Amino acid sequence: MAEDTPRTPTRAMTRRQAVGAFGLAASVTAAAAAPAMAGPHPGGLARGPSTLLYPHESRTRSVRDLSGLWRFQMDPADQGESQKWFVSGLPAPRPIPVPCSWNDLFDDARDYFGTAWYETEFQLDSGWRGRRLHLRFGSAVYHARVWLNGEYLGEHMGGHLPFAFDVTGLAHEGQPNRLSVSVENKPLLDRVPSVPDMRSARMYQVDFPQTAYDFFPYCGLHRPVVLFTTPDAHLQDVTVTTGLSGGAGLVGVAVAVSGGWSGAATLTLSGGPKPVSVSISVKDGAGSGQLKLPGVRAWSPDDPFLYRLTIKLGGEAGGDEYALKIGVRTIEVKGSEILLNGKPIFLTGFGKHEDFPIHGKGLDLPVLVRDYELLKWIGANSFRTSHYPYSEESLMLADEYGFLVIAETPGVSLVFMDPPEIIEARLRQLSQATSELVHRDKNHPCVIMWSLANEPIPKPFHTVNDVPPGAVEAGTRFFERLFAHARTLDKSRPIALVSVQNGPADWVGQGDVICTNSYNGWYAISGQIDVATATLEKEILALRARHGDKPVIFTEFGADAVAGVHAQPAEMWSEDYQAQLIEAYWRTLRKHPYIVGAHPWAFADFKTAQGIMRVGSLNQKGVFTRDRRPKLAAHKLRELWAKV
Ligand code: GCB
């Protein structure tokens, strides 16, 4: 480890690096933090920035998934860095699977939110000689620092989004290479999501662990860690935009190539009756072109047809090759409608969570496939990635299944009663996460809208204090800046935030679509479905009056139901009550043509902090149980949605 490598990240350094981390997140950080460490590669390549493109294999790219059993050690005293565990190895490790959350595995780790270390070894493939070597993390919650063979690579702040390093020259052939990662998930006020300020948020003192949001704060390496190789000059980024014109598809492709590379590249779209190609020239690392697909099969939930886009550098000469699946579709807001390929859509589906026993938030492909099968079974055409970016695998699969996805940032339960410097720190962190999210997911046809936040509130719910003066205005300024930032990142999709019932109109009103959560019949007007729906009716009219002709989506409504509990007449917590409340909401919402989506909360029961409102530490508003058995409401929705 270089002498000047900081051992303990100070707040200031952490912030500076996190902000600089957008795009080629950790690579930039790594390059900035450790230029002197870049050893010469046997093939003579020096380290450069990495790429965040999903690591697909190709003729020129090999991928090695490092998933499996790693070694793990908690570090409550934060001594691993000063004791150089990344050099000596972990003193007392135990096995841990990657990807997985650590919380459900070990009794002493369930409520552990400090630093923990991960360690594994890998061998280099001799066929990789002369290639550029990259190391990529799908997600580490929340703050990760990484070493390879004792050399510090860099860090990444914020969960749920990937980061990568160019590690060319740092790994050795013919011997094990040690990879060490520290992951830390301290609940801090200035993070996103953050914890409530305990001085003013009385309610949270009865919940454990304390969170401002309603899901368990699982930690760890949640998604695959992979090694991949590229040629020296390689594609670093691809941006695809699609349009439709008189039965033809128009596909715009912009590429970024490492090292300011210049030369010819070929773009090919296959999957249609015959492949379509175009040659483009790349200058100083940037190039773009357009392909036309006569008789295009436009992507939609009814026909989620995907083309394969292959990009080859250097024409036939054999430079880097990268392929991804794309769908050709348009999405726009017009008047009170959301139009997909020019036709109005209505969203049926849910807010979900990445959550399952034992895995926690670790990528779980069997559960992912089962969820999508159940979404199809119930008649859902969409879901929201509440309340953070989901795995890249889940979006690739959504492209294939034809689900319409509202992709949400980790901006959940933001409050605006804190000191300005805390609010500013959150804005920086959330802007970075938004940049990384759009960068990662911009090419997915399934993503039809960005949600910048879920239920921001001036002050935490149930606090005794009044809304502090200036909190609403602070939120308005915060979202003006966040929306402006997001709109520079993607002009091709609507952008919204999801508001809480009766949340400040000036916040949600900045969105292209009005998204709102509504809990009449549960948190408000408990136990009285008729009164709840009459109130809902008034709320709908008020929303319309306030927000003009923007389309409206009810992104959450519902009731907890303990599976197996029944009551006649229906009572709260019974399956009957949940089914009846959801049906009453559905029928009320459907009367209003400007309401273009209804997502009951939630798809499945999920783990939360312990608290007086969460029996079994579960939110039981799922229409499926946590192990995916349908409740009465699931059958009811299936019946209702069959008629849409
Ligand atoms: C909400 C939140 C969601 C909660 C839900 C509930 O409004 O957006 O995260 O889980 O309410 O059940 O309280």
Side-chain angles (χ1 to χ4, degrees):
M1 178 169 165
E3 280 315 310
D4 58 351
T5 302
R7 296 208 171 138
T8 314
T10 62
R11 266 258 143 264
M13 181 197 91
T14 301
R15 282 193 196 136
R16 194 181 61 238
Q17 294 192 339
V19 172
F22 159 57
L24 302 168
S27 321
V28 172
T29 310
M37 297 171 200
H41 185 274
L45 300 179
R47 291 170 63 199
S50 187
T51 159
L52 284 176
L53 283 175
Y54 187 83
H56 293 298
E57 280 184 329
S58 77
R59 198 174 48 79
T60 59
R61 292 173 172 236
S62 301
V63 178
R64 164 100 56 85
D65 189 345
L66 299 180
S67 298
L69 287 174
W70 291 38
R71 292 184 294 280
F72 176 76
Q73 183 167 348
M74 298 191 292
D75 180 13
D78 268 325
Q79 56 188 13
E81 278 200 52
S82 58
Q83 295 184 359
K84 300 196 175 189
W85 289 0
F86 46 85
V87 175
S88 58
L90 301 184
R94 50 184 150 178
I96 192 165
V98 171
C100 192
S101 300
W102 68 57
N103 312 76
D104 284 0
L105 298 178
F106 313 112
D107 289 357
D108 58 336
R110 188 193 65 194
D111 300 323
Y112 182 70
F113 305 103
T115 304
W117 289 75
Y118 287 75
E119 184 184 90
T120 192
E121 266 106 36
F122 64 86
Q123 292 268 353
L124 278 190
D125 186 324
S126 60
W128 294 352
R129 235 175 261 161
R131 317 297 284 170
R132 202 164 267 291
L133 186 66
H134 308 257
L135 173 67
R136 186 184 199 267
F137 294 77
S139 155
V141 174
Y142 183 86
H143 177 205
R145 286 164 65 77
V146 185
W147 292 258
L148 178 56
N149 290 330
E151 300 272 17
Y152 177 66
L153 298 179
E155 67 184 333
H156 184 262
M157 186 67 88
H160 319 291
L161 289 158
F163 52 99
F165 307 91
D166 182 333
V167 295
T168 310
L170 295 184
H172 311 293
E173 222 179 283
Q175 65 187 73
N177 292 285
R178 178 187 288 137
L179 178 57
S180 317
V181 189
S182 75
V183 181
E184 167 268 298
N185 190 25
K186 292 180 185 151
L188 300 176
L189 207 55
D190 64 352
R191 291 186 167 176
V192 179
S194 54
V195 290
D197 182 341
M198 297 311 300
R199 288 161 305 184
S200 48
R202 278 205 193 150
M203 168 198 174
Y204 298 102
Q205 293 176 18
V206 297
D207 280 353
F208 183 80
Q210 280 138 2
T211 55
Y213 48 91
D214 184 33
F215 54 91
F216 190 82
Y218 279 114
C219 331
L221 293 180
H222 283 160
R223 297 188 188 143
V225 180
V226 301
L227 283 172
F228 66 98
T229 64
T230 63
D232 185 20
H234 58 272
L235 279 153
Q236 285 196 307
D237 193 22
V238 179
T239 307
V240 178
T241 45
T242 64
L244 298 168
S245 167
L250 302 174
V251 179
V253 181
V255 299
V257 185
S258 65
W261 185 85
S262 298
T266 316
L267 313 175
T268 306
L269 273 174
S270 46
K274 54 179 190 218
V276 179
S277 278
V278 68
S279 193
I280 62 166
S281 65
V282 178
K283 201 167 172 294
D284 300 329
S288 61
Q290 202 187 57
L291 295 123
K292 193 167 179 181
L293 287 167
V296 69
R297 264 175 84 177
W299 184 95
S300 73
D302 294 334
D303 183 19
F305 186 77
L306 297 174
Y307 292 87
R308 186 180 175 81
L309 170 66
T310 307
I311 300 143
K312 278 188 196 163
L313 297 187
E316 292 309 308
D320 191 21
E321 180 176 319
Y322 184 81
L324 69 159
K325 290 184 183 169
I326 64 147
V328 182
R329 58 112 185 89
T330 61
I331 188 82
E332 64 185 309
V333 169
K334 212 170 188 180
S336 301
E337 294 179 323
I338 301 180
L339 304 179
L340 177 75
N341 302 330
K343 296 194 197 102
I345 50 171
F346 187 93
L347 303 184
T348 56
F350 302 92
K352 286 180 93 260
H353 267 293
E354 288 186 325
D355 170 90
F356 206 68
I358 304 192
H359 287 221
K361 291 200 181 305
L363 176 67
D364 189 333
L365 294 176
V367 172
L368 187 56
V369 171
R370 185 65 190 143
D371 282 5
Y372 286 7
E373 288 296 315
L374 289 173
L375 286 171
K376 281 282 168 199
W377 171 83
I378 205 170
N381 63 11
S382 58
F383 64 88
R384 175 166 59 115
T385 70
S386 38
H387 297 306
Y388 38 81
Y390 289 3
S391 69
E392 292 157 287
E393 291 76 7
S394 77
L395 294 175
M396 290 189 282
L397 204 59
D399 287 341
E400 303 219 6
Y401 271 79
F403 293 122
L404 306 166
V405 176
I406 301 174
E408 194 156 275
T409 69
V412 54
S413 301
L414 293 157
V415 292
F416 291 92
M417 50 179 294
D418 298 301
E421 62 276 12
I422 295 286
I423 295 176
E424 199 60 28
R426 288 185 196 141
L427 179 60
R428 274 198 299 274
Q429 180 62 32
L430 188 52
S431 300
Q432 180 204 336
T434 305
S435 298
E436 292 181 12
L437 171 65
V438 175
H439 184 85
R440 190 194 74 163
D441 294 345
K442 63 190 169 187
N443 295 332
H444 285 286
C446 69
V447 176
I448 56 157
M449 182 158 93
W450 307 110
S451 158
L452 299 184
N454 178 72
E455 294 199 349
I457 35 177
K459 61 162 188 130
F461 292 122
H462 307 287
T463 51
V464 285
N465 314 19
D466 292 335
V467 174
V472 173
E473 294 72 18
T476 304
R477 283 193 301 278
F478 182 100
F479 288 113
E480 278 166 1
R481 290 164 67 191
L482 190 62
F483 270 98
H485 174 64
R487 287 187 170 117
T488 64
L489 301 170
D490 186 3
K491 297 185 179 25
S492 73
R493 292 174 176 89
I495 304 180
L497 70 74
V498 171
S499 160
V500 63
Q501 193 167 11
N502 304 322
D506 286 348
W507 300 0
V508 68
Q510 295 182 38
D512 301 312
V513 177
I514 303 304
C515 295
T516 189
N517 299 342
S518 167
Y519 281 101
N520 297 315
W522 190 256
Y523 295 118
I525 319 169
S526 313
Q528 305 165 71
I529 294 177
D530 290 351
V531 186
T533 41
T535 304
L536 170 65
E537 185 67 39
K538 285 188 208 135
E539 283 172 3
I540 294 170
L541 298 176
L543 274 180
R544 183 72 175 168
R546 176 65 181 75
H547 297 293
D549 65 352
K550 287 187 183 177
V552 176
I553 300 176
F554 274 71
T555 29
E556 286 183 27
F557 54 93
D560 283 78
V562 179
V565 171
H566 289 276
Q568 171 55 36
E571 276 175 9
M572 292 175 78
W573 296 95
S574 68
E575 289 194 34
D576 314 76
Y577 186 86
Q578 182 194 39
Q580 287 177 29
L581 180 67
I582 287 177
E583 179 176 5
Y585 251 79
W586 171 260
R587 293 196 186 284
T588 308
L589 298 178
R590 288 300 275 162
K591 287 188 208 148
H592 302 276
Y594 47 85
I595 295 178
V596 299
H599 280 179
W601 183 255
F603 171 72
D605 294 349
F606 58 91
K607 189 170 166 76
T608 63
Q610 301 172 60
I612 50 169
M613 298 204 300
R614 296 289 175 253
V615 181
S617 303
L618 290 177
N619 182 311
Q620 305 197 43
K621 294 193 187 67
V623 306
F624 293 94
T625 59
R626 200 177 183 209
D627 60 355
R628 278 39 177 183
R629 285 172 292 124
K631 299 183 192 169
L632 203 54
H635 294 284
K636 176 49 78 184
L637 282 168
R638 186 166 190 253
E639 186 189 309
L640 295 170
W641 286 349
K643 296 182 194 135
V644 177

